[in-house]
PDB file of all heavy atoms in Angstrom:
ATOM      1  N   VAL A 227     127.745  76.101  90.951  1.00  0.00           N
ATOM      2  CA  VAL A 227     127.157  75.049  91.796  1.00  0.00           C
ATOM      3  C   VAL A 227     126.153  74.227  90.993  1.00  0.00           C
ATOM      4  O   VAL A 227     125.286  74.778  90.334  1.00  0.00           O
ATOM      5  CB  VAL A 227     126.462  75.671  93.029  1.00  0.00           C
ATOM      6  CG1 VAL A 227     125.616  74.643  93.745  1.00  0.00           C
ATOM      7  CG2 VAL A 227     127.493  76.244  93.979  1.00  0.00           C
ATOM      8  N   GLY A 228     126.283  72.918  91.046  1.00  0.00           N
ATOM      9  CA  GLY A 228     125.308  72.040  90.402  1.00  0.00           C
ATOM     10  C   GLY A 228     125.480  71.967  88.891  1.00  0.00           C
ATOM     11  O   GLY A 228     126.448  72.460  88.329  1.00  0.00           O
ATOM     12  N   HIS A 229     124.523  71.333  88.230  1.00  0.00           N
ATOM     13  CA  HIS A 229     124.517  71.171  86.783  1.00  0.00           C
ATOM     14  C   HIS A 229     123.422  72.026  86.179  1.00  0.00           C
ATOM     15  O   HIS A 229     122.503  72.452  86.875  1.00  0.00           O
ATOM     16  CB  HIS A 229     124.274  69.700  86.420  1.00  0.00           C
ATOM     17  CG  HIS A 229     125.306  68.777  87.000  1.00  0.00           C
ATOM     18  ND1 HIS A 229     126.585  68.700  86.520  1.00  0.00           N
ATOM     19  CD2 HIS A 229     125.243  67.915  88.043  1.00  0.00           C
ATOM     20  CE1 HIS A 229     127.270  67.821  87.228  1.00  0.00           C
ATOM     21  NE2 HIS A 229     126.473  67.332  88.175  1.00  0.00           N
ATOM     22  N   LYS A 230     123.480  72.246  84.875  1.00  0.00           N
ATOM     23  CA  LYS A 230     122.487  73.058  84.181  1.00  0.00           C
ATOM     24  C   LYS A 230     121.071  72.567  84.537  1.00  0.00           C
ATOM     25  O   LYS A 230     120.828  71.374  84.573  1.00  0.00           O
ATOM     26  CB  LYS A 230     122.720  72.976  82.676  1.00  0.00           C
ATOM     27  CG  LYS A 230     121.842  73.916  81.873  1.00  0.00           C
ATOM     28  CD  LYS A 230     122.211  73.832  80.407  1.00  0.00           C
ATOM     29  CE  LYS A 230     121.372  74.733  79.551  1.00  0.00           C
ATOM     30  NZ  LYS A 230     119.953  74.550  79.631  1.00  0.00           N
ATOM     31  N   ASN A 231     120.202  73.520  84.787  1.00  0.00           N
ATOM     32  CA  ASN A 231     118.788  73.286  85.142  1.00  0.00           C
ATOM     33  C   ASN A 231     118.568  72.707  86.542  1.00  0.00           C
ATOM     34  O   ASN A 231     117.437  72.432  86.907  1.00  0.00           O
ATOM     35  CB  ASN A 231     118.076  72.405  84.111  1.00  0.00           C
ATOM     36  CG  ASN A 231     118.073  73.040  82.737  1.00  0.00           C
ATOM     37  OD1 ASN A 231     118.217  74.249  82.612  1.00  0.00           O
ATOM     38  ND2 ASN A 231     117.924  72.238  81.714  1.00  0.00           N
ATOM     39  N   ASN A 232     119.620  72.499  87.329  1.00  0.00           N
ATOM     40  CA  ASN A 232     119.431  72.121  88.730  1.00  0.00           C
ATOM     41  C   ASN A 232     118.751  73.267  89.479  1.00  0.00           C
ATOM     42  O   ASN A 232     118.911  74.423  89.124  1.00  0.00           O
ATOM     43  CB  ASN A 232     120.771  71.821  89.407  1.00  0.00           C
ATOM     44  CG  ASN A 232     121.224  70.390  89.196  1.00  0.00           C
ATOM     45  OD1 ASN A 232     120.646  69.628  88.442  1.00  0.00           O
ATOM     46  ND2 ASN A 232     122.288  70.037  89.876  1.00  0.00           N
ATOM     47  N   MET A 233     118.022  72.930  90.548  1.00  0.00           N
ATOM     48  CA  MET A 233     117.274  73.917  91.325  1.00  0.00           C
ATOM     49  C   MET A 233     117.751  73.953  92.773  1.00  0.00           C
ATOM     50  O   MET A 233     118.063  72.908  93.347  1.00  0.00           O
ATOM     51  CB  MET A 233     115.790  73.542  91.380  1.00  0.00           C
ATOM     52  CG  MET A 233     115.138  73.321  90.059  1.00  0.00           C
ATOM     53  SD  MET A 233     114.739  74.881  89.310  1.00  0.00           S
ATOM     54  CE  MET A 233     113.906  74.283  87.855  1.00  0.00           C
ATOM     55  N   GLY A 234     117.742  75.156  93.339  1.00  0.00           N
ATOM     56  CA  GLY A 234     117.950  75.322  94.773  1.00  0.00           C
ATOM     57  C   GLY A 234     116.827  76.177  95.311  1.00  0.00           C
ATOM     58  O   GLY A 234     116.532  77.231  94.749  1.00  0.00           O
ATOM     59  N   ARG A 235     116.175  75.719  96.381  1.00  0.00           N
ATOM     60  CA  ARG A 235     115.031  76.461  96.910  1.00  0.00           C
ATOM     61  C   ARG A 235     115.244  76.856  98.360  1.00  0.00           C
ATOM     62  O   ARG A 235     115.649  76.039  99.177  1.00  0.00           O
ATOM     63  CB  ARG A 235     113.754  75.629  96.768  1.00  0.00           C
ATOM     64  CG  ARG A 235     113.234  75.585  95.350  1.00  0.00           C
ATOM     65  CD  ARG A 235     111.930  74.831  95.235  1.00  0.00           C
ATOM     66  NE  ARG A 235     112.142  73.392  95.293  1.00  0.00           N
ATOM     67  CZ  ARG A 235     112.429  72.634  94.234  1.00  0.00           C
ATOM     68  NH1 ARG A 235     112.537  73.164  93.041  1.00  0.00           N
ATOM     69  NH2 ARG A 235     112.616  71.342  94.377  1.00  0.00           N
ATOM     70  N   LEU A 236     114.945  78.117  98.646  1.00  0.00           N
ATOM     71  CA  LEU A 236     115.036  78.661  99.989  1.00  0.00           C
ATOM     72  C   LEU A 236     113.643  79.157 100.349  1.00  0.00           C
ATOM     73  O   LEU A 236     113.059  79.967  99.629  1.00  0.00           O
ATOM     74  CB  LEU A 236     116.039  79.819  99.997  1.00  0.00           C
ATOM     75  CG  LEU A 236     116.422  80.405 101.339  1.00  0.00           C
ATOM     76  CD1 LEU A 236     117.082  79.351 102.228  1.00  0.00           C
ATOM     77  CD2 LEU A 236     117.370  81.580 101.132  1.00  0.00           C
ATOM     78  N   LYS A 237     113.106  78.645 101.463  1.00  0.00           N
ATOM     79  CA  LYS A 237     111.710  78.907 101.797  1.00  0.00           C
ATOM     80  C   LYS A 237     111.601  79.811 103.013  1.00  0.00           C
ATOM     81  O   LYS A 237     112.245  79.583 104.026  1.00  0.00           O
ATOM     82  CB  LYS A 237     111.023  77.564 102.068  1.00  0.00           C
ATOM     83  CG  LYS A 237     109.523  77.632 102.119  1.00  0.00           C
ATOM     84  CD  LYS A 237     108.924  76.247 102.264  1.00  0.00           C
ATOM     85  CE  LYS A 237     108.884  75.554 100.911  1.00  0.00           C
ATOM     86  NZ  LYS A 237     108.138  74.277 100.969  1.00  0.00           N
ATOM     87  N   LEU A 238     110.757  80.829 102.881  1.00  0.00           N
ATOM     88  CA  LEU A 238     110.440  81.730 103.986  1.00  0.00           C
ATOM     89  C   LEU A 238     109.091  81.296 104.548  1.00  0.00           C
ATOM     90  O   LEU A 238     108.077  81.345 103.849  1.00  0.00           O
ATOM     91  CB  LEU A 238     110.365  83.169 103.468  1.00  0.00           C
ATOM     92  CG  LEU A 238     109.815  84.229 104.423  1.00  0.00           C
ATOM     93  CD1 LEU A 238     110.623  84.307 105.705  1.00  0.00           C
ATOM     94  CD2 LEU A 238     109.788  85.579 103.730  1.00  0.00           C
ATOM     95  N   LEU A 239     109.094  80.818 105.793  1.00  0.00           N
ATOM     96  CA  LEU A 239     107.847  80.357 106.417  1.00  0.00           C
ATOM     97  C   LEU A 239     107.130  81.542 107.058  1.00  0.00           C
ATOM     98  O   LEU A 239     107.710  82.267 107.860  1.00  0.00           O
ATOM     99  CB  LEU A 239     108.147  79.290 107.472  1.00  0.00           C
ATOM    100  CG  LEU A 239     108.920  78.077 106.956  1.00  0.00           C
ATOM    101  CD1 LEU A 239     109.186  77.089 108.069  1.00  0.00           C
ATOM    102  CD2 LEU A 239     108.178  77.405 105.817  1.00  0.00           C
ATOM    103  N   LEU A 240     105.883  81.728 106.679  1.00  0.00           N
ATOM    104  CA  LEU A 240     105.079  82.845 107.193  1.00  0.00           C
ATOM    105  C   LEU A 240     103.968  82.266 108.055  1.00  0.00           C
ATOM    106  O   LEU A 240     102.992  81.752 107.544  1.00  0.00           O
ATOM    107  CB  LEU A 240     104.466  83.624 106.028  1.00  0.00           C
ATOM    108  CG  LEU A 240     105.452  84.168 105.001  1.00  0.00           C
ATOM    109  CD1 LEU A 240     104.714  84.699 103.789  1.00  0.00           C
ATOM    110  CD2 LEU A 240     106.314  85.252 105.622  1.00  0.00           C
ATOM    111  N   THR A 241     104.146  82.375 109.366  1.00  0.00           N
ATOM    112  CA  THR A 241     103.179  81.730 110.245  1.00  0.00           C
ATOM    113  C   THR A 241     102.139  82.688 110.799  1.00  0.00           C
ATOM    114  O   THR A 241     101.072  82.269 111.202  1.00  0.00           O
ATOM    115  CB  THR A 241     103.904  81.034 111.407  1.00  0.00           C
ATOM    116  OG1 THR A 241     104.873  81.940 111.926  1.00  0.00           O
ATOM    117  CG2 THR A 241     104.597  79.779 110.934  1.00  0.00           C
ATOM    118  N   ASP A 242     102.425  83.978 110.796  1.00  0.00           N
ATOM    119  CA  ASP A 242     101.529  84.908 111.490  1.00  0.00           C
ATOM    120  C   ASP A 242     100.761  85.852 110.575  1.00  0.00           C
ATOM    121  O   ASP A 242     100.273  86.883 111.023  1.00  0.00           O
ATOM    122  CB  ASP A 242     102.323  85.747 112.499  1.00  0.00           C
ATOM    123  CG  ASP A 242     103.003  84.860 113.526  1.00  0.00           C
ATOM    124  OD1 ASP A 242     102.409  83.811 113.874  1.00  0.00           O
ATOM    125  OD2 ASP A 242     104.108  85.185 113.968  1.00  0.00           O
ATOM    126  N   LEU A 243     100.656  85.542 109.288  1.00  0.00           N
ATOM    127  CA  LEU A 243      99.919  86.441 108.395  1.00  0.00           C
ATOM    128  C   LEU A 243      98.417  86.325 108.660  1.00  0.00           C
ATOM    129  O   LEU A 243      97.883  85.247 108.788  1.00  0.00           O
ATOM    130  CB  LEU A 243     100.196  86.101 106.930  1.00  0.00           C
ATOM    131  CG  LEU A 243     101.589  86.412 106.404  1.00  0.00           C
ATOM    132  CD1 LEU A 243     101.588  86.331 104.885  1.00  0.00           C
ATOM    133  CD2 LEU A 243     102.073  87.776 106.837  1.00  0.00           C
ATOM    134  N   LYS A 244      97.766  87.479 108.721  1.00  0.00           N
ATOM    135  CA  LYS A 244      96.322  87.479 108.967  1.00  0.00           C
ATOM    136  C   LYS A 244      95.582  87.174 107.665  1.00  0.00           C
ATOM    137  O   LYS A 244      95.908  87.720 106.629  1.00  0.00           O
ATOM    138  CB  LYS A 244      95.885  88.860 109.481  1.00  0.00           C
ATOM    139  CG  LYS A 244      96.433  89.202 110.838  1.00  0.00           C
ATOM    140  CD  LYS A 244      95.899  90.569 111.280  1.00  0.00           C
ATOM    141  CE  LYS A 244      96.553  91.020 112.553  1.00  0.00           C
ATOM    142  NZ  LYS A 244      97.965  91.415 112.366  1.00  0.00           N
ATOM    143  N   PRO A 245      94.554  86.311 107.739  1.00  0.00           N
ATOM    144  CA  PRO A 245      93.755  86.054 106.538  1.00  0.00           C
ATOM    145  C   PRO A 245      93.016  87.314 106.091  1.00  0.00           C
ATOM    146  O   PRO A 245      92.794  88.220 106.890  1.00  0.00           O
ATOM    147  CB  PRO A 245      92.762  84.974 106.977  1.00  0.00           C
ATOM    148  CG  PRO A 245      93.131  84.585 108.355  1.00  0.00           C
ATOM    149  CD  PRO A 245      94.130  85.561 108.892  1.00  0.00           C
ATOM    150  N   LYS A 246      92.652  87.354 104.839  1.00  0.00           N
ATOM    151  CA  LYS A 246      91.869  88.459 104.261  1.00  0.00           C
ATOM    152  C   LYS A 246      92.547  89.816 104.419  1.00  0.00           C
ATOM    153  O   LYS A 246      91.887  90.825 104.643  1.00  0.00           O
ATOM    154  CB  LYS A 246      90.461  88.487 104.857  1.00  0.00           C
ATOM    155  CG  LYS A 246      89.647  87.254 104.503  1.00  0.00           C
ATOM    156  CD  LYS A 246      88.198  87.418 104.904  1.00  0.00           C
ATOM    157  CE  LYS A 246      87.304  86.337 104.359  1.00  0.00           C
ATOM    158  NZ  LYS A 246      87.725  84.964 104.621  1.00  0.00           N
ATOM    159  N   SER A 247      93.854  89.838 104.322  1.00  0.00           N
ATOM    160  CA  SER A 247      94.550  91.127 104.286  1.00  0.00           C
ATOM    161  C   SER A 247      95.630  91.028 103.215  1.00  0.00           C
ATOM    162  O   SER A 247      95.895  89.955 102.700  1.00  0.00           O
ATOM    163  CB  SER A 247      95.133  91.481 105.657  1.00  0.00           C
ATOM    164  OG  SER A 247      95.804  90.384 106.208  1.00  0.00           O
ATOM    165  N   SER A 248      96.223  92.149 102.884  1.00  0.00           N
ATOM    166  CA  SER A 248      97.250  92.112 101.842  1.00  0.00           C
ATOM    167  C   SER A 248      98.594  92.560 102.406  1.00  0.00           C
ATOM    168  O   SER A 248      98.664  93.341 103.356  1.00  0.00           O
ATOM    169  CB  SER A 248      96.841  92.988 100.660  1.00  0.00           C
ATOM    170  OG  SER A 248      96.492  94.273 101.113  1.00  0.00           O
ATOM    171  N   TYR A 249      99.643  92.029 101.786  1.00  0.00           N
ATOM    172  CA  TYR A 249     101.007  92.319 102.201  1.00  0.00           C
ATOM    173  C   TYR A 249     101.856  92.592 100.970  1.00  0.00           C
ATOM    174  O   TYR A 249     101.504  92.184  99.863  1.00  0.00           O
ATOM    175  CB  TYR A 249     101.602  91.127 102.960  1.00  0.00           C
ATOM    176  CG  TYR A 249     100.902  90.834 104.255  1.00  0.00           C
ATOM    177  CD1 TYR A 249      99.804  89.988 104.292  1.00  0.00           C
ATOM    178  CD2 TYR A 249     101.318  91.428 105.435  1.00  0.00           C
ATOM    179  CE1 TYR A 249      99.141  89.725 105.474  1.00  0.00           C
ATOM    180  CE2 TYR A 249     100.663  91.181 106.633  1.00  0.00           C
ATOM    181  CZ  TYR A 249      99.574  90.328 106.639  1.00  0.00           C
ATOM    182  OH  TYR A 249      98.924  90.085 107.813  1.00  0.00           O
ATOM    183  N   CYS A 250     102.964  93.247 101.200  1.00  0.00           N
ATOM    184  CA  CYS A 250     103.933  93.469 100.134  1.00  0.00           C
ATOM    185  C   CYS A 250     105.254  92.856 100.565  1.00  0.00           C
ATOM    186  O   CYS A 250     105.761  93.156 101.651  1.00  0.00           O
ATOM    187  CB  CYS A 250     104.109  94.965  99.880  1.00  0.00           C
ATOM    188  SG  CYS A 250     105.362  95.314  98.620  1.00  0.00           S
ATOM    189  N   LEU A 251     105.784  91.979  99.731  1.00  0.00           N
ATOM    190  CA  LEU A 251     107.099  91.386  99.961  1.00  0.00           C
ATOM    191  C   LEU A 251     108.089  92.172  99.106  1.00  0.00           C
ATOM    192  O   LEU A 251     107.934  92.252  97.889  1.00  0.00           O
ATOM    193  CB  LEU A 251     107.097  89.921  99.540  1.00  0.00           C
ATOM    194  CG  LEU A 251     108.409  89.167  99.752  1.00  0.00           C
ATOM    195  CD1 LEU A 251     108.585  88.844 101.230  1.00  0.00           C
ATOM    196  CD2 LEU A 251     108.440  87.900  98.930  1.00  0.00           C
ATOM    197  N   ILE A 252     109.073  92.790  99.746  1.00  0.00           N
ATOM    198  CA  ILE A 252     110.088  93.570  99.035  1.00  0.00           C
ATOM    199  C   ILE A 252     111.432  92.905  99.292  1.00  0.00           C
ATOM    200  O   ILE A 252     111.725  92.509 100.426  1.00  0.00           O
ATOM    201  CB  ILE A 252     110.113  95.040  99.543  1.00  0.00           C
ATOM    202  CG1 ILE A 252     108.739  95.687  99.353  1.00  0.00           C
ATOM    203  CG2 ILE A 252     111.192  95.842  98.818  1.00  0.00           C
ATOM    204  CD1 ILE A 252     108.634  97.080  99.942  1.00  0.00           C
ATOM    205  N   PHE A 253     112.237  92.755  98.256  1.00  0.00           N
ATOM    206  CA  PHE A 253     113.533  92.100  98.417  1.00  0.00           C
ATOM    207  C   PHE A 253     114.536  92.665  97.427  1.00  0.00           C
ATOM    208  O   PHE A 253     114.163  93.218  96.389  1.00  0.00           O
ATOM    209  CB  PHE A 253     113.403  90.579  98.238  1.00  0.00           C
ATOM    210  CG  PHE A 253     112.823  90.165  96.910  1.00  0.00           C
ATOM    211  CD1 PHE A 253     113.641  89.797  95.855  1.00  0.00           C
ATOM    212  CD2 PHE A 253     111.448  90.142  96.729  1.00  0.00           C
ATOM    213  CE1 PHE A 253     113.093  89.429  94.630  1.00  0.00           C
ATOM    214  CE2 PHE A 253     110.899  89.768  95.510  1.00  0.00           C
ATOM    215  CZ  PHE A 253     111.728  89.411  94.455  1.00  0.00           C
ATOM    216  N   SER A 254     115.809  92.540  97.776  1.00  0.00           N
ATOM    217  CA  SER A 254     116.882  92.901  96.851  1.00  0.00           C
ATOM    218  C   SER A 254     117.354  91.624  96.186  1.00  0.00           C
ATOM    219  O   SER A 254     117.412  90.574  96.821  1.00  0.00           O
ATOM    220  CB  SER A 254     118.061  93.518  97.608  1.00  0.00           C
ATOM    221  OG  SER A 254     117.639  94.671  98.288  1.00  0.00           O
ATOM    222  N   TYR A 255     117.704  91.732  94.910  1.00  0.00           N
ATOM    223  CA  TYR A 255     118.204  90.549  94.209  1.00  0.00           C
ATOM    224  C   TYR A 255     119.263  90.969  93.212  1.00  0.00           C
ATOM    225  O   TYR A 255     119.345  92.140  92.814  1.00  0.00           O
ATOM    226  CB  TYR A 255     117.064  89.805  93.494  1.00  0.00           C
ATOM    227  CG  TYR A 255     116.496  90.564  92.315  1.00  0.00           C
ATOM    228  CD1 TYR A 255     116.961  90.328  91.022  1.00  0.00           C
ATOM    229  CD2 TYR A 255     115.506  91.520  92.494  1.00  0.00           C
ATOM    230  CE1 TYR A 255     116.448  91.031  89.943  1.00  0.00           C
ATOM    231  CE2 TYR A 255     114.997  92.220  91.423  1.00  0.00           C
ATOM    232  CZ  TYR A 255     115.473  91.979  90.154  1.00  0.00           C
ATOM    233  OH  TYR A 255     114.975  92.681  89.089  1.00  0.00           O
ATOM    234  N   ARG A 256     120.068  89.997  92.818  1.00  0.00           N
ATOM    235  CA  ARG A 256     121.118  90.253  91.847  1.00  0.00           C
ATOM    236  C   ARG A 256     121.363  88.981  91.046  1.00  0.00           C
ATOM    237  O   ARG A 256     121.476  87.898  91.613  1.00  0.00           O
ATOM    238  CB  ARG A 256     122.382  90.678  92.593  1.00  0.00           C
ATOM    239  CG  ARG A 256     123.617  90.749  91.751  1.00  0.00           C
ATOM    240  CD  ARG A 256     124.702  91.446  92.495  1.00  0.00           C
ATOM    241  NE  ARG A 256     125.487  90.504  93.287  1.00  0.00           N
ATOM    242  CZ  ARG A 256     126.676  90.802  93.774  1.00  0.00           C
ATOM    243  NH1 ARG A 256     127.199  91.992  93.615  1.00  0.00           N
ATOM    244  NH2 ARG A 256     127.340  89.907  94.462  1.00  0.00           N
ATOM    245  N   LEU A 257     121.393  89.123  89.727  1.00  0.00           N
ATOM    246  CA  LEU A 257     121.813  88.032  88.849  1.00  0.00           C
ATOM    247  C   LEU A 257     123.075  88.539  88.164  1.00  0.00           C
ATOM    248  O   LEU A 257     122.998  89.343  87.250  1.00  0.00           O
ATOM    249  CB  LEU A 257     120.733  87.696  87.816  1.00  0.00           C
ATOM    250  CG  LEU A 257     119.510  86.979  88.400  1.00  0.00           C
ATOM    251  CD1 LEU A 257     118.361  87.950  88.542  1.00  0.00           C
ATOM    252  CD2 LEU A 257     119.118  85.807  87.563  1.00  0.00           C
ATOM    253  N   ALA A 258     124.219  88.097  88.662  1.00  0.00           N
ATOM    254  CA  ALA A 258     125.495  88.598  88.152  1.00  0.00           C
ATOM    255  C   ALA A 258     126.180  87.488  87.366  1.00  0.00           C
ATOM    256  O   ALA A 258     126.286  86.368  87.842  1.00  0.00           O
ATOM    257  CB  ALA A 258     126.384  89.033  89.318  1.00  0.00           C
ATOM    258  N   GLY A 259     126.625  87.807  86.168  1.00  0.00           N
ATOM    259  CA  GLY A 259     127.347  86.829  85.361  1.00  0.00           C
ATOM    260  C   GLY A 259     126.578  86.421  84.121  1.00  0.00           C
ATOM    261  O   GLY A 259     125.353  86.496  84.072  1.00  0.00           O
ATOM    262  N   GLU A 260     127.326  86.003  83.133  1.00  0.00           N
ATOM    263  CA  GLU A 260     126.760  85.575  81.853  1.00  0.00           C
ATOM    264  C   GLU A 260     126.016  84.251  82.010  1.00  0.00           C
ATOM    265  O   GLU A 260     126.565  83.305  82.559  1.00  0.00           O
ATOM    266  CB  GLU A 260     127.923  85.424  80.860  1.00  0.00           C
ATOM    267  CG  GLU A 260     127.522  85.192  79.424  1.00  0.00           C
ATOM    268  CD  GLU A 260     126.998  86.450  78.733  1.00  0.00           C
ATOM    269  OE1 GLU A 260     127.340  87.565  79.183  1.00  0.00           O
ATOM    270  OE2 GLU A 260     126.253  86.296  77.759  1.00  0.00           O
ATOM    271  N   LYS A 261     124.780  84.172  81.543  1.00  0.00           N
ATOM    272  CA  LYS A 261     123.979  82.930  81.574  1.00  0.00           C
ATOM    273  C   LYS A 261     123.960  82.284  82.957  1.00  0.00           C
ATOM    274  O   LYS A 261     124.121  81.075  83.103  1.00  0.00           O
ATOM    275  CB  LYS A 261     124.517  81.928  80.550  1.00  0.00           C
ATOM    276  CG  LYS A 261     124.406  82.411  79.117  1.00  0.00           C
ATOM    277  CD  LYS A 261     124.754  81.291  78.150  1.00  0.00           C
ATOM    278  CE  LYS A 261     124.559  81.724  76.723  1.00  0.00           C
ATOM    279  NZ  LYS A 261     125.765  82.040  75.988  1.00  0.00           N
ATOM    280  N   VAL A 262     123.798  83.122  83.999  1.00  0.00           N
ATOM    281  CA  VAL A 262     123.881  82.617  85.375  1.00  0.00           C
ATOM    282  C   VAL A 262     122.672  81.747  85.747  1.00  0.00           C
ATOM    283  O   VAL A 262     122.771  80.869  86.584  1.00  0.00           O
ATOM    284  CB  VAL A 262     124.081  83.784  86.375  1.00  0.00           C
ATOM    285  CG1 VAL A 262     122.808  84.602  86.526  1.00  0.00           C
ATOM    286  CG2 VAL A 262     124.569  83.297  87.712  1.00  0.00           C
ATOM    287  N   GLY A 263     121.526  81.971  85.126  1.00  0.00           N
ATOM    288  CA  GLY A 263     120.346  81.158  85.444  1.00  0.00           C
ATOM    289  C   GLY A 263     119.126  82.011  85.693  1.00  0.00           C
ATOM    290  O   GLY A 263     119.040  83.137  85.209  1.00  0.00           O
ATOM    291  N   LYS A 264     118.186  81.469  86.462  1.00  0.00           N
ATOM    292  CA  LYS A 264     116.924  82.157  86.727  1.00  0.00           C
ATOM    293  C   LYS A 264     116.671  82.232  88.220  1.00  0.00           C
ATOM    294  O   LYS A 264     117.047  81.335  88.969  1.00  0.00           O
ATOM    295  CB  LYS A 264     115.756  81.383  86.101  1.00  0.00           C
ATOM    296  CG  LYS A 264     115.722  81.447  84.606  1.00  0.00           C
ATOM    297  CD  LYS A 264     114.517  80.701  84.069  1.00  0.00           C
ATOM    298  CE  LYS A 264     114.546  80.776  82.553  1.00  0.00           C
ATOM    299  NZ  LYS A 264     113.875  79.665  81.918  1.00  0.00           N
ATOM    300  N   LEU A 265     115.994  83.297  88.619  1.00  0.00           N
ATOM    301  CA  LEU A 265     115.505  83.435  89.987  1.00  0.00           C
ATOM    302  C   LEU A 265     113.992  83.544  89.892  1.00  0.00           C
ATOM    303  O   LEU A 265     113.468  84.363  89.136  1.00  0.00           O
ATOM    304  CB  LEU A 265     116.096  84.681  90.644  1.00  0.00           C
ATOM    305  CG  LEU A 265     115.589  84.995  92.053  1.00  0.00           C
ATOM    306  CD1 LEU A 265     115.946  83.877  93.030  1.00  0.00           C
ATOM    307  CD2 LEU A 265     116.165  86.319  92.545  1.00  0.00           C
ATOM    308  N   ARG A 266     113.294  82.692  90.632  1.00  0.00           N
ATOM    309  CA  ARG A 266     111.833  82.709  90.634  1.00  0.00           C
ATOM    310  C   ARG A 266     111.340  82.798  92.067  1.00  0.00           C
ATOM    311  O   ARG A 266     112.019  82.353  92.995  1.00  0.00           O
ATOM    312  CB  ARG A 266     111.274  81.419  90.039  1.00  0.00           C
ATOM    313  CG  ARG A 266     111.596  81.192  88.605  1.00  0.00           C
ATOM    314  CD  ARG A 266     110.869  79.935  88.108  1.00  0.00           C
ATOM    315  NE  ARG A 266     111.377  79.542  86.821  1.00  0.00           N
ATOM    316  CZ  ARG A 266     112.331  78.616  86.645  1.00  0.00           C
ATOM    317  NH1 ARG A 266     112.862  77.986  87.672  1.00  0.00           N
ATOM    318  NH2 ARG A 266     112.754  78.325  85.438  1.00  0.00           N
ATOM    319  N   VAL A 267     110.135  83.336  92.215  1.00  0.00           N
ATOM    320  CA  VAL A 267     109.494  83.369  93.522  1.00  0.00           C
ATOM    321  C   VAL A 267     108.123  82.712  93.397  1.00  0.00           C
ATOM    322  O   VAL A 267     107.359  83.020  92.475  1.00  0.00           O
ATOM    323  CB  VAL A 267     109.340  84.816  94.050  1.00  0.00           C
ATOM    324  CG1 VAL A 267     108.667  84.814  95.420  1.00  0.00           C
ATOM    325  CG2 VAL A 267     110.697  85.506  94.119  1.00  0.00           C
ATOM    326  N   PHE A 268     107.845  81.787  94.317  1.00  0.00           N
ATOM    327  CA  PHE A 268     106.563  81.082  94.359  1.00  0.00           C
ATOM    328  C   PHE A 268     105.872  81.378  95.678  1.00  0.00           C
ATOM    329  O   PHE A 268     106.525  81.475  96.707  1.00  0.00           O
ATOM    330  CB  PHE A 268     106.777  79.559  94.291  1.00  0.00           C
ATOM    331  CG  PHE A 268     107.320  79.069  92.985  1.00  0.00           C
ATOM    332  CD1 PHE A 268     108.689  79.036  92.756  1.00  0.00           C
ATOM    333  CD2 PHE A 268     106.473  78.615  91.992  1.00  0.00           C
ATOM    334  CE1 PHE A 268     109.200  78.573  91.551  1.00  0.00           C
ATOM    335  CE2 PHE A 268     106.965  78.154  90.784  1.00  0.00           C
ATOM    336  CZ  PHE A 268     108.333  78.131  90.563  1.00  0.00           C
TER     337      PHE A 268
END
């Protein structure tokens, strides 16, 4: 899908997080294939 260095972003909206507390985000991921690209989390 797309051309080299193209980006696709999927956003998780967090509306109910309490300020001044900590959370852990746990997820499964897979990068399958030769030179498939990068996965980043912001």
Side-chain angles (χ1 to χ4, degrees):
V227 168
H229 301 287
K230 187 176 180 304
N231 299 338
N232 274 8
M233 306 281 184
R235 285 183 283 274
L236 188 61
K237 193 175 280 188
L238 170 58
L239 303 179
L240 303 170
T241 46
D242 301 326
L243 290 194
K244 293 182 187 72
K246 295 190 170 52
S247 46
S248 52
Y249 295 88
C250 177
L251 181 76
I252 302 175
F253 57 97
S254 300
Y255 69 95
R256 170 168 89 163
L257 288 103
E260 189 75 23
K261 297 189 176 103
V262 72
K264 289 182 181 153
L265 176 62
R266 296 185 192 96
V267 180
F268 293 87

